[in-house]
Amino acid sequence: TSAGSWDAVLAEPARSALERSLPRFLVRQRWFGAKGRKISTVSIADTIRVPDAERDGLQGLVTLVDVTFTEGEPATYAIPLAGTRDGEDIGLEYVVARVETRDGVWLLVDGLRDTALAVALLEMIERRRVARAQRHRLVGTRAEGFVRLRGEGALEPQFSWGDQSNTSVTFGDRLVLKLFRRIEEGINPELEVGRFLTDRTVSRHAAPTAGAIELPDGGGGSTVAILQGYVQNEGDAWAYSLDAIQESFERALALPADQPIPRVERSLMDMVGELPSLLTYDLIGPFLGSAWLLGRRTAQLHLALGSRADDPVFAPEPITRMYQRSLYQSMRSQAVTTLRRLAVHEVGPEVEELLARQDELFARFAVVTGEKISGQRIRVHGDYHLGQVLWTGRDFIVIDFEGEPARPLSERRIKRSPLRDVAGMLRSFDYATRTAMRSPWVEDLSTEEKASLADWAQSWSHWVSATFLDHYFEVAGDSPLLPQTEEETRRMLHALLLDKAVYEIAYELDNRPDWLPVPVRGVLDLLDEGP
């Protein structure tokens, strides 16, 4: 209950009640990245009123919320807030609190579902405005190409309703505002890499950066939001791939009874540079050409990111023995922690097999500490998979350069082998086929049909991955960025594939426990296949 208007809930005594209700709101949000940890306290660190974000005479704002946990480091989240009249059409998951005031009942809601606040945040960037609070400032900045990207006329916000680790608002077909929910000290890689690619126009295959909202306070400041040019698209490459896989499955099931489905008996790297059979071509269909194009676009992206030796933040650095040892330690540490959590959370034959083979897993990681590995480290995408690529109908555009959200921001800015991104995409192809195998219509098939499709799913993933790799190496293979021998490439890529699959287990433990069989089986298959 508030004695004044809805925003008076941010003052005592109502403020304490609001803080007590925030944990229930946070754990319902897709963007809250600590679902696997128990919240201890939530406190409102600051409230920043956004210029011109008025509705019914009341001003929208951005709250910075400090969250502590029973274990581990605290975190700060940005929660824009706005008030709507009780009874207005908004999803309950976006309601923070119900507030009774002298002028009626209000709902305190996530502000990135409020038109006035969304437009005001865009105008902060366009007009380079500053919003001040007791402890912090929000500062809007815009890129050189802002006017061209914005275009003419009013822009109406359209709100995203899908699952995301952040929150995006689209303004017509011109701009996309992306709010980073977790606020960490330092520039977000999404903004840093986006500015690099946009300002130098070294890559035409990434969404252009139009501006940002930042918190300049503290040592290095923090990134709150980034504004990008809208990319006309037909959806992300994940959805495009799932459609292609379903069509391929249907073609495979339609084969005559005396026509066996092609099977793969070799490791992935052994298939690079080879041509699939005509039957395999027919069963996969046009997506082989898409894998070819995506491999080239990925190589072009890496060449662009490694193109500026005069910029210390982006200049390529050699892979050293010290880096190889630190890479192994990072892989092993993540695996130890993840397998310990897995043993407590989940039991079953595949999990038991993986736990029994953990020494084998560590030995596969250790190959990166053997002989010297050539190549260079650069800034990479960091969380590269089919969901981070848009399909325009003719080409691919890469988005979301913030890196794996579960890792600290400082770790996401470290220079790495470009093969880390390659491994992410290869794992994504595998995830897509395993996701398709979980489709309801596949579950309804006979045991024999499902077994045949499982064989074909593996073949689809291997041939698409081999095609992707073939054309990635065709474009980037002579670059000093990559290991200079096939043996080095095999060692590094296989270890990175295993590392990515272990990361996926940790992710699913936190977000989708029912999906755990997918990455667990992925690790086991990689161990069986070998480099």
Side-chain angles (χ1 to χ4, degrees), residues 186-433:
I187 185 171
N188 192 288
E190 172 92 357
L191 178 58
E192 190 173 33
V193 174
R195 281 173 172 164
F196 175 83
L197 295 175
T198 303
D199 292 349
R200 292 162 175 80
T201 63
V202 291
S203 176
R204 300 188 307 275
H205 305 294
T209 297
I213 297 175
E214 298 175 87
L215 285 167
D217 310 87
S222 301
T223 309
V224 176
I226 183 173
L227 187 69
Q228 298 172 314
Y230 178 80
V231 176
Q232 293 283 355
N233 66 88
E234 297 183 1
D236 61 32
W238 173 258
Y240 174 52
S241 300
L242 289 181
D243 288 343
I245 294 169
Q246 178 170 330
E247 292 173 3
S248 179
F249 280 4
E250 292 169 353
R251 286 191 288 269
L253 290 174
L255 286 174
D258 60 349
Q259 174 67 69
I261 290 179
R263 298 186 62 178
V264 168
E265 305 290 349
R266 293 167 296 160
S267 71
L268 173 59
M269 285 297 293
D270 289 336
M271 297 168 61
V272 175
E274 295 195 9
L275 295 176
S277 67
L278 289 177
L279 177 58
T280 299
Y281 263 121
D282 290 341
L283 291 180
I284 296 178
F287 195 81
L288 266 184
S290 299
W292 172 90
L293 180 60
L294 186 56
R296 299 184 72 84
R297 294 292 179 255
T298 304
Q300 290 163 350
L301 172 67
H302 288 154
L303 293 175
L305 288 171
S307 66
R308 299 294 298 228
D310 60 334
D311 185 336
V313 175
F314 287 88
E317 298 177 10
I319 291 178
T320 62
R321 290 278 197 177
M322 182 177 295
Y323 173 73
Q324 289 176 235
R325 288 194 296 272
S326 68
L327 179 61
Y328 165 70
Q329 292 296 337
S330 173
M331 291 174 169
R332 193 181 192 282
S333 176
Q334 175 183 245
V336 168
T337 302
T338 301
L339 293 180
R340 186 181 297 126
R341 291 182 60 201
L342 186 63
V344 172
H345 183 277
E346 186 81 8
V347 292
E350 290 191 330
V351 170
E352 291 175 359
E353 180 184 352
L354 177 55
L355 295 175
R357 299 176 69 179
Q358 60 181 304
D359 288 343
E360 182 183 351
L361 175 64
F362 299 153
R364 297 292 180 87
F365 290 150
V367 300
V368 301
T369 65
E371 296 295 322
K372 175 76 170 64
I373 295 177
S374 57
Q376 295 176 321
R377 298 183 297 122
I378 59 170
R379 295 296 296 274
V380 296
H381 184 282
D383 189 23
Y384 198 51
H385 55 76
L386 290 164
Q388 310 286 44
V389 181
L390 297 179
W391 172 242
T392 69
R394 300 181 62 183
D395 210 338
F396 291 105
I397 303 294
V398 182
I399 58 174
D400 292 345
F401 286 86
E402 62 178 299
E404 293 171 340
R407 299 186 189 274
L409 187 148
S410 58
E411 187 177 331
R412 287 183 264 150
R413 296 181 66 222
I414 293 174
K415 295 173 183 176
R416 306 181 187 278
S417 168
L419 290 178
R420 178 174 286 271
D421 282 349
V422 172
M425 187 56 69
L426 298 182
R427 286 293 307 140
S428 194
F429 290 139
D430 181 71
Y431 238 84
T433 57

Side-chain angles (χ1 to χ4, degrees), residues 461-517:
S461 177
H462 272 61
W463 278 115
V464 165
S465 296
T467 302
F468 171 89
L469 280 175
D470 190 19
H471 293 280
Y472 176 86
F473 291 136
E474 181 181 312
V475 174
D478 293 334
S479 167
L481 299 179
L482 297 179
Q484 298 302 293
T485 69
E486 181 180 330
E487 188 272 337
E488 292 173 326
T489 301
R490 282 176 180 264
R491 287 164 53 202
M492 178 69 89
L493 184 57
H494 186 68
L496 290 171
L497 282 166
L498 282 167
D499 185 53
K500 182 65 176 179
V502 170
Y503 173 85
E504 291 162 358
I505 293 175
Y507 178 88
E508 301 299 12
L509 278 169
D510 286 338
N511 295 281
R512 302 183 301 183
D514 57 318
W515 280 77
L516 276 169

